[in-house]
Each structure stands twice: as structure tokens, then as C-alpha cells.
Amino acid sequence: MTDTTDLPVTPRGGVDPVPGEWRRVSPRYIWVDLVGSIISGLAATAAATIPFWVTQFVVLLTIPAVVLIIALIVAAFTPRRVRAIGYRLRDDDLVVRRGIMFQRFAAVPYGRMQLVDINRGPLARALGLAELKLVTAAAASNITIPGLPMADAEQLRDRLVELAESRRAGL
Amino acid sequence: MTGSDVVAGASAVDLADGEWHRLHPATPLLRGGFAFVAIAGFVLANLRERILGLFLGGGPGDGAGGDPIELIVRRGLIPLALVVVLLVLIVIVVIFWLSWRVHSFRITDELVEVRSGILFRTNRRGRLDRIQGINISRPLFARLFGAARLDINVAGHDANVQLAYLSGRNAEALRRLILLRAAGDREAGGTAAPQVEHDGSLGGMVTQRAREFVAPELDPQLAPPESVVTMHAGRLLGSTVLHDRTIIFVLLVIAAAVLAAAAHLFVVLFGVVPALLGVGSQIVRRFSRSLRYSIAATPDGVRVGYGLLSTNNDTIPPGRIHSVEIRQPLLWRPADWWEVRINVASHSDRQEGGRRSSTILPVGSRAEVFKVLELVLPGIVGDGSRELVVAGLARAVAGDGYTGSPRRAAVLRWFSWRRNGFALEPEAVLLRRGAIWRSLIAVPTARMQSVSLRQGPLLRMLRLADVHVHTVAGPIRAVLDDLDAAVAAGFFRDVAVGAVAAARRESVAHVANRARWQGMSRSHD
């Protein structure tokens, strides 16, 4: 697939329950994520100006300022955040990791996958990327792998469906 | 297509023979017809004056010109109006009849399938081995017709297969049969499903209907076995009074009264009254539902009965329970009472009528909790892990089998950091939580969907992490917060491995069972 390397080192005090090599998503996904976070950042900033418009207190303009700064920081970290997305097909389950500040690791046994969806947003489609979504019987699972090149996504989906078929257990 | 291939069903065994069958003849009336009856009633009520006037000879006054009926009468269009009404009636009856004709179902060895609809045909099939439970409900109107509704809950979102309506006596037997096939490890045909005598004559039908109505427990042969827990009215009353919800209710009442009296803020009452009504009705409902509570093991699964006026019986096949929580409202502790809730894979609880409760034991002593646990988690709460469960309900003691949070977690969990912990058994994950509101969550490893580990910046500073065991949607969230980061990582790994191992063990057993059962049913044919 795209790239197979060790991810940037786990931060101090952080965890890595399954150390080893992770597959990374396409670097092009940075643009998708960046545009997404810029749009939502601007929307949040605009929304944060409402108290000012209502009351006309200039002090309240600090709220959108703070929101804007946070949005900029979030946007600035996009490349690192995208590099931190990783997945690995182990013998019996798929492990996915995301996030640097807020880390999340999830493991789904192949036999528990009910469906594998491929979603493509407009920008991702322009860049030839797709998002893989794994559906289990639990809504909380919520496992997605964004930023896969289309061919890789289809290949991975077929592989996962095949693995799920072979390990399927009664629910 | 729904012509000659639809066999007129008689007994439950016949109904499950894989052929297409029709539902109870009153079905269209029961499903949608009451709206029509209500409209007719409304129209009649509005015409009352006119009809009265007709019989009493007096005219209904001069009548405003806008009244369409007035218009019809004045222009002498009564015959035409009657013809129109008659035509509408005929069309409705034909539609009812057609919708009954095309609404059919079949139950084969592997699936249950329902097809319906005149213009927009729908076809829904559920696989029997994915059935999460079957619920029989008997609304009052349906009871008048001797009909019952069968809700077959299949795993997945909005995946119910509804057989509405069946004749009441068949419903119970059919449920039994479907569950037997769903369990897949017993011979289905040989069970003594009762035959319903059809004696054809109207008198016979009426007496049978009356008998069914008086004896709602359907069939003596299928009467539920002895409940393992008996609900004492006194304990139910006590637990209701001491429940957190009641305490909140009382506090709300006091707060509202004080506010209203002291500050003359009667406006407050407008906000508080709806909330009070909501909480109050919840309390009353819990009480009245639980009065006739029963739980028993049947060959088809755990059977939970509820309800005083409209009865509800739920049968959950073995192995369909995805997690169990034993919890204790604060004031129940002196009495050592506990409540048991479950997560089951089905979204039927939001359906009207067939409300499934997630509470499987409203209140019980410790001994009763264990009886219930043996039913809902067979093979998991065995001799070995019994001690673990006992420890899970008690204060944390060193060496009680649970791996807890480190002392530094006390920053976030002031009281519960000692109790906050997990124990990993081959068959289940046990999560012990809460010091003030104690709870113990058991997730069978074979049912677990996935597992995740989370850590935010604050937890990273404290070298802690959260572990979330994902189960199907329900009231229970199997989350254990603020574990030591390294311990959490190990727990995450072990749970992931345990889930795969349990699924493998189970699928081997399942395949073996299915093969055996299929062989048997074939030899039976």
C-alpha cells in the first residue's frame, strides 16, 4: 500500500498497545483534512462572533479570536495528524490508530465486521482518495480509515470482506 | 402469485412448513382499519343531529349554506351520495381483502420471510440464526379477535420481522418453534406443538374466543415454567421508594414547593410540573410493570414476563445477550438489593406496543442476582468466576482478582479509583466501576464487537488511558476510564485476543450444532 513505516514516536506518557509497523494513509489526504478543518474553523469563528453582534461589547470579540487561534493550531497540525493515522491487518483483527493529542486505538476482529463501506467526498474524489468505513453490530465501534487511494481502498475492502467471510461467527 | 400456493394455516407446525401462509383474517382491520372506523365514527357523530332530526321529524333548522350535507339534502342528491358512500366502502373492503390476500409469510428451516403490499411490494426476510428474540404482544383490540402479534427481532438496525396478526394460540407455539430452529441444536418437528381444534361452527368459534380471552396464558402446555425469582410486593415498594429516581422526584417536589412558597414564583410550577409528571409516571410504570415480573429458563432461552394490564413476554435465545450490568442505587446498599440490565442486539425497543425492557431484574437480593446471572450468562458465571462477581459487587480489596486504577487516578476519580478495575476471564470481561453508585459490567468475550483505547492530553500527563469495550447499542456502555496507561495497553491487547479466541470457539460449536440439527431434521422428513 501507500507507505509502511513506523509512525512518529509515541509522545511521552503516551501508549502504544500494539507496537510495530503501521500502514499509513496517502499524504494527499492532508489537503482534504486541511480544507475540512479550515472550513469548520471559519464557521466556528463566525458563530463565535454572535455574542458581539448581539451585545456590541468589544470585549466579546476575544471569543472569536481565541476560536480562530485554536482553529489555526488545529489546521497547522493537520500534516502530523494525518501521518498519525495508521492501520494494520493482523492475523485475526484489524487495528486502527488515529490522533496525536487525542489518541485512539481500536481493534476489530474480522469476524465481527458486518459491512465495509467506501465513502468518497467531493474533494477526496478529486484527489482520487476514498474512505473505508467498517460497520460492526456496535454503533460505538465507529472505525474509519480515511485517505486511501481508490484502488487501495477497493483492494482493502475486498480483502476485509473475504477475511470477514472466513471468520464469520454467529452474532 | 399469492394464489393457490398459499396454504390455509391451521397449526403452528403447519405454519412453519416452509410454504406461504396468510395471516389472521382480521389483520387489515387491526393494522390500519381502526383509523377508518374512527373516521366513520367521527362522521357519524357529526351527523348525529341530522339523524336525530330525521327520526324525531323536526328539521335541523335552516342550516348554513356551507354545510356540504345540507347542500346534498337540499338538491336531492341523497341517492347519489349513498351510492358514492357505498362505492367508497366497497373499495375499502376490497383493498382490505387484497392486502390480506397478498400479505403472507413463510417459515423455512433457515429463514422467516414476509411479503406484503398491493402497489408497493415489500419483501422482508430474516435469517433464523440471527434471531435475537421473539416478542408476543396482545393489544386489547387484537385480543378481541383472538389475535396476537409476533415480533421477531433480527440482529441489525430496524431489522424486525413482524407477523401481525396471527391467531393467538398459534402465536405462542410458533414462537417456540422458531426459537427451536434458531437455537439450531434441537429437532424442531418433534416438539409437542399443540394443535388448534377448528370446529368450524360459529358457536364453537365464539366459545373458543371467549376461552382465549379469559385465559391469556395461551396454552397450558406452553405455560411458562416456574420463575426463579419471585417479586415480593414489599421489596418492590421499598426499592421503588429508595430508588435514585424517587429521591430526585422528592427533591424536585420540595424545591418547587419552596420556590413557589418563599419567592411567590408560581411560574416555576409550570416548568416543574411536566418534569414531575414524567418522572412520576416512570416510577409508577416501573412499579406496575414489575409487579408480575417473572424470569425463567426455557429450552428456547430466557423468558422474561412483565406487565399487569397489557402483558408482555420476551424470550431471548441463549447467547444473544451482549452485556450485563449489575448495579445498585445508593440507598439500596443497606438492603443489599441490586438491579440487572442487559444489552440485546435489536432495535425493537423503540417499536410501539412491543416494548422490550432492558431491565431483566428490577430488584433482587444477591442470591437472586446470581440466579439471574446463571440464566443470562450460562457458563460464564460458573464456580470459578463466582468469586470474581462477588468481589465485583463489594469494596475493592487487594488481591480480589481485579486490576485497578493507580493511586494517581484519584485526581479524576476521587472515590472510585480503588474499585475502578477489570478482570479478564476467558469467557467474559468484567468491569467494576463506581464507589457510590456501584456497578459491575460483564461482557461475554464472544459477543464483543471491538475494543478501543483512548488517551487525551490530560490523561497522558497522568499516564492514564481509557478502554472501551464496544457492544451493541443499549443502556450499558462498557467503558473503563483512567487505567494506568501500560495496564490499559495490556488490557486492550488481551481483550482483542480474547475476543478472537472466543469467537473461534463459538463458531466451531455453532457449525457442529447446525450440522447435527440439519441431519436430524432431514431424517425426520
Side-chain angles (χ1 to χ4, degrees), chain B residues 159-490:
Chain B
N160 275 18
V161 180
Q162 205 178 58
L163 299 184
Y165 287 80
L166 294 166
S167 99
R169 314 197 77 199
N170 284 339
E172 188 82 352
L174 203 57
R175 160 162 85 175
R176 185 119 201 263
L177 209 75
I178 294 172
L179 285 172
L180 278 175
R181 291 192 181 171
D185 54 358
R186 267 174 300 272
E187 187 188 13
T191 51
Q195 304 284 319
V196 181
E197 330 83 50
H198 274 271
D199 97 4
S201 74
L202 188 66
M205 242 174 79
V206 168
T207 47
Q208 190 188 325
R209 201 64 74 243
R211 208 167 49 218
E212 279 176 24
F213 199 78
V214 175
E217 263 315 333
L218 300 167
D219 196 287
Q221 270 187 307
L222 299 171
E226 195 74 15
S227 172
V228 300
V229 175
T230 41
M231 187 55 66
H232 305 290
R235 179 195 293 162
L236 186 60
L237 191 68
S239 70
T240 307
V241 169
L242 294 177
H243 201 279
D244 295 339
R245 209 180 283 152
T246 320
I247 307 295
I248 292 169
F249 181 75
V250 170
L251 288 180
L252 260 175
V253 170
I254 292 173
V258 166
L259 262 174
H264 295 284
L265 273 173
F266 293 103
V267 194
V268 174
L269 294 180
F270 287 104
V272 170
V273 164
L276 285 185
L277 284 178
V279 181
S281 74
Q282 260 189 341
I283 294 171
V284 170
R285 214 187 56 193
R286 175 180 178 275
F287 186 78
S288 73
R289 272 170 64 79
S290 306
L291 259 180
R292 269 183 63 187
Y293 162 84
S294 72
I295 181 168
T298 69
D300 330 316
V302 182
R303 181 184 173 122
V304 187
Y306 263 114
L308 200 57
L309 297 174
S310 58
T311 57
N312 213 324
N313 269 311
D314 237 332
T315 305
I316 307 157
R320 296 300 196 233
I321 291 165
H322 285 242
S323 57
V324 180
E325 180 178 19
I326 310 155
R327 60 174 199 164
Q328 187 175 53
L330 181 60
L331 295 178
W332 287 12
R333 197 174 299 172
D336 199 23
W337 289 333
W338 301 84
E339 180 187 57
V340 182
R341 304 194 296 176
I342 54 169
N343 274 6
V344 181
S346 114
H347 288 254
S348 74
D349 38 16
R350 266 171 249 136
Q351 289 263 324
E352 32 74 49
R355 279 183 59 87
R356 153 172 283 173
S357 173
S358 57
T359 305
I360 203 167
L361 177 67
V363 57
S365 67
R366 188 172 292 239
E368 286 168 345
V369 166
F370 276 100
K371 281 185 194 164
V372 170
L373 285 184
E374 276 160 27
L375 291 185
V376 297
L377 296 175
I380 291 171
V381 185
D383 299 327
S385 49
R386 194 184 165 93
E387 281 168 24
L388 269 180
V389 176
V390 171
L393 301 180
R395 288 176 69 99
V397 189
D400 58 5
Y402 285 83
T403 313
S405 290
R407 192 177 184 105
R408 60 182 184 279
V411 179
L412 298 168
R413 314 212 141 256
W414 301 350
F415 306 109
S416 67
W417 64 272
R418 278 178 224 270
R419 250 182 69 80
N420 198 51
F422 67 89
L424 192 61
E425 287 281 285
E427 295 298 331
V429 185
L430 296 172
L431 308 178
R432 179 176 71 178
R433 307 194 320 188
I436 297 170
W437 288 275
R438 288 181 179 174
S439 110
L440 176 70
I441 296 170
V443 182
T445 37
R447 298 279 90 76
M448 215 188 70
Q449 297 300 314
S450 52
V451 58
S452 76
L453 180 148
R454 284 167 180 277
Q455 191 188 47
L458 179 64
L459 290 185
R460 179 161 323 138
M461 276 189 333
L462 292 163
R463 281 175 292 122
L464 300 173
D466 301 342
V467 174
H468 190 158
V469 179
H470 300 139
T471 75
V472 298
I476 306 169
R477 281 183 74 232
V479 185
L480 200 59
D481 291 333
D482 311 325
L483 288 171
D484 178 82
V487 169

Side-chain angles (χ1 to χ4, degrees), chain A residues 11-15 17-18 90 92-93 100-109 112 136-138 140-141 168-171, chain B residues 130 155 320 446-457 460 470-472 485 489 492-493 496 499-500 503-504 506:
Chain A
R12 283 159 59 80
V15 280
V18 274
R90 299 200 297 181
D92 296 300
D93 57 1
I100 317 162
M101 279 279 272
F102 295 87
Q103 277 192 302
R104 180 176 191 257
F105 295 83
V108 207
R112 304 290 158 68
T136 69
S141 295
R168 180 161 310 286
L171 188 68
Chain B
R130 290 287 155 118
R320 296 300 196 233
R447 298 279 90 76
M448 215 188 70
Q449 297 300 314
S450 52
V451 58
S452 76
L453 180 148
R454 284 167 180 277
Q455 191 188 47
R460 179 161 323 138
H470 300 139
T471 75
V472 298
F492 176 88
R493 275 194 297 271
V500 171
R504 189 168 292 146
E506 196 186 60

